[in-house]
Amino acid sequence: MGAVLRFIIWLGAQIGRFTARTINRVIAWARRNAKTVQRWIERGVNYGTILIWILQALGIQ
């Protein structure tokens, strides 16, 4: 869970690139799907790629 929390903290730093609403939606998705995000991080997927995947899953990008 620590890796997922680090990802969420990193997301907070992306507020300049995305709206607060978008970041909050991504954070909510990441919390609901923490096991999936954890697996991605363990496999070495970088945070930027995970963010893009979540945005796509949410239909934002």
Side-chain angles (χ1 to χ4, degrees):
M1 189 65 161
V4 175
L5 290 176
R6 283 191 299 278
F7 173 69
I8 290 172
I9 291 167
W10 177 84
L11 282 172
Q14 304 308 307
I15 199 75
R17 291 179 48 196
F18 301 95
T19 65
R21 182 174 185 266
T22 298
I23 295 297
N24 287 334
R25 289 179 66 191
V26 172
I27 289 171
W29 190 97
R31 286 182 175 160
R32 282 192 314 272
N33 298 284
K35 289 181 182 180
T36 300
V37 174
Q38 179 73 34
R39 272 195 313 264
W40 290 340
I41 293 169
E42 288 172 355
R43 290 181 181 161
V45 179
N46 71 44
Y47 289 167
T49 301
I50 294 171
L51 173 59
I52 296 297
W53 290 347
I54 295 173
L55 290 171
Q56 290 173 344
L58 292 170
I60 296 173
Q61 192 176 41

